[in-house]
Amino acid sequence: MHAVAAISQSALAHNLSIVRAQAPHSKIVGMVKANAYGHHLIHSTPLLQADLLGVSELSEARQLRQLCNQPILLLPGVYNATELNEAIELGCHVVIHHPSQITAIANVDQTLNVWLKVDTGMHRLGLSADELNLSIQQLAKNPNIHIEAVMSHFACADEPNNIQNLQQISHFDQLDITSFNRSMANSAAILSLPNIHFDYVRPGIMLYGVSPFGKPHESLQPVMELSAPILSLKKISAGERVGYGATWQAEEDTTIAVIGIGYGDGYPRHARNGTPILINNKLYPLAGRVSMDLICVDIGNASVNIGDKAILWGHAKLRVETIAQYSDTIGYELLTHVSSRVNFIQS
Ligand SMILES: *Cc1c(COP(=O)(O)O)cnc(C)c1O
């Protein structure tokens, strides 16, 4: 009996179609970094229909190349000739986000697609406006180099009313880049800022059916259903306590279902008492601390059996956004933390 992450192939295809419907005039860079946001690339092949695929490491590009022929956007770009040669071999477009990366590609003798990343206010990766102009001049000297797009990334797109979004858009608008393809939108901007979809959109979390805004989005379908079996049922009396630290106490006589999943599988240890768990289509509260391999659930007098399936997230009645709220994190973190001990299957 095992914890299982079932990856819905139809939900992946559906969510990609939602991106196409939201941004019909843009090409799609499907963000599949971090092993497809924890869903495993090999189980996420419906996403490989996107026009480009975004990764954060050459190792991810290597793995992706076993699965498809789509061009790959290598987000951190390259820093030396070895990385450059491998990136070209793998069919990567490379991002330039720092002037020092120009040296690594300046004398490239094969066709190379480059994306220039501009810092419009997030102050993480990206060129300043002056560095951008200089880079364009320098790269123009080598006819093998093709600037495919100028891109930038939002700091606050998950808060549609945050003034910084407009400031970043205005900064991007002021750049002298009208002759290039442009790309700004992540999932949140795809859903809330239709006027800046430009030539390429870069959806990540929404492809996996999770809203970037924290509350479930009605048109997205959850992709990963995380479940685990009930390993034990135990009657306890009012006043008795459950789990490490004895932090949860029964108010009345009840039954505790013990489920075979814990933080060693990626279920968040910070999930609070009361975090909902779905068993036989009904929600029950988490009772006591999450252990490495087990959690306990207060099922009252419900009739459930050892071996019944408990769903931790990824169901219409229990979305990962809810678990994220109960554990003070975001869906992104929960999905990418599901551990290799969990049995991944396609559904
Ligand atoms: C991860 C990433 C995205 C996707 O962000 P979501 O919020 O998951 O849609 C887009 N652009 C860049 C540069 C990224 O690193």
Side-chain angles (χ1 to χ4, degrees):
M1 299 222 279
H2 238 310
V4 173
I7 307 303
S8 166
Q9 305 300 291
S10 61
L12 286 167
H14 168 84
N15 296 333
L16 182 59
S17 78
I18 295 291
V19 177
R20 288 213 192 278
Q22 292 278 328
H25 307 296
S26 309
K27 288 189 179 173
I28 298 176
V29 187
M31 303 307 293
V32 295
K33 60 195 184 191
N35 212 1
Y37 284 48
H39 294 66
H40 293 196
L41 280 173
I42 50 164
H43 299 308
S44 304
T45 51
L47 295 185
L48 309 186
Q49 305 292 323
D51 301 293
L52 261 86
L53 298 161
V55 300
S56 304
E57 276 198 26
L58 268 172
S59 64
E60 296 178 327
R62 226 175 282 135
Q63 204 194 339
L64 194 50
R65 192 45 81 227
Q66 308 294 316
L67 300 170
C68 73
N69 297 317
Q70 242 53 349
I72 297 170
L73 180 61
L74 183 62
L75 289 171
V78 295
Y79 290 84
N80 54 52
T82 316
E83 289 181 357
L84 173 64
N85 289 335
E86 180 158 24
I88 291 174
E89 220 166 274
L90 291 169
C92 292
H93 294 205
V94 301
V95 173
I96 297 280
H97 59 78
H98 192 274
S100 66
Q101 294 179 298
I102 301 276
T103 332
I105 67 163
N107 298 318
V108 65
D109 57 5
Q110 304 169 67
T111 305
L112 181 67
N113 287 296
V114 171
W115 291 49
L116 295 171
K117 184 170 188 172
V118 194
D119 178 8
T120 52
M122 184 167 183
H123 301 319
R124 197 178 56 176
L125 297 182
L127 306 164
S128 69
D130 289 345
E131 289 168 345
L132 173 73
N133 293 333
L134 199 59
S135 301
I136 292 171
Q137 286 171 25
Q138 287 172 318
L139 296 178
K141 292 179 194 155
N142 184 338
N144 292 316
I145 294 176
H146 169 71
I147 298 176
E148 177 56 27
V150 177
M151 66 185 282
S152 191
H153 195 51
F154 285 109
C156 307
D158 58 327
E159 301 167 27
N161 296 323
N162 193 311
I163 186 80
Q164 181 160 338
N165 296 324
L166 298 179
Q167 291 165 343
Q168 288 194 242
I169 293 167
S170 147
H171 191 129
F172 198 68
D173 273 344
Q174 285 161 27
L175 300 170
D176 186 15
I177 53 170
T178 39
S179 58
F180 300 109
N181 289 320
R182 289 174 291 172
S183 175
M184 273 198 106
N186 56 3
S187 297
I190 290 167
L191 294 168
S192 69
L193 297 168
N195 54 330
I196 52 94
H197 286 166
F198 297 129
D199 304 284
Y200 284 101
V201 292
R202 306 190 308 269
I205 197 74
M206 69 181 290
L207 294 173
Y208 308 95
V210 178
S211 167
F213 305 118
K215 285 209 182 72
H217 192 282
E218 75 270 6
S219 57
L220 300 173
Q221 295 176 1
V223 172
M224 180 198 291
E225 183 201 82
L226 182 66
S227 67
I230 295 178
L231 299 182
S232 175
L233 294 163
K234 178 168 304 254
K235 290 205 180 303
I236 63 166
S237 306
E240 291 185 314
R241 293 172 179 269
V242 170
Y244 283 120
T247 59
W248 185 88
Q249 187 172 30
E251 282 174 9
E252 49 197 70
D253 294 358
T254 190
T255 303
I256 296 294
V258 185
I259 319 281
I261 194 165
Y263 61 80
D265 305 282
Y267 192 80
R269 201 184 84 90
H270 287 103
R272 289 195 285 278
N273 278 326
T275 302
I277 286 137
L278 190 70
I279 302 171
N280 299 340
N281 220 24
K282 276 190 68 179
L283 294 169
Y284 299 99
L286 181 71
R289 282 196 192 145
V290 172
S291 319
M292 188 184 290
D293 310 319
L294 300 166
I295 58 173
C296 296
V297 182
D298 178 9
I299 60 165
N301 55 11
S303 81
V304 309
N305 296 303
I306 288 181
D308 283 357
K309 169 168 139 176
I311 296 177
L312 291 317
W313 66 61
H315 186 281
K317 286 192 172 168
L318 185 59
R319 311 274 289 238
V320 74
E321 291 91 333
T322 303
I323 306 303
Q325 274 172 16
Y326 274 92
S327 47
D328 294 321
T329 183
I330 51 176
Y332 298 75
E333 187 183 42
L334 296 178
L335 294 172
T336 53
H337 280 196
V338 176
S339 79
S340 58
R341 180 166 82 175
V342 172
N343 189 17
F344 276 75
I345 61 167
Q346 293 178 17
S347 66

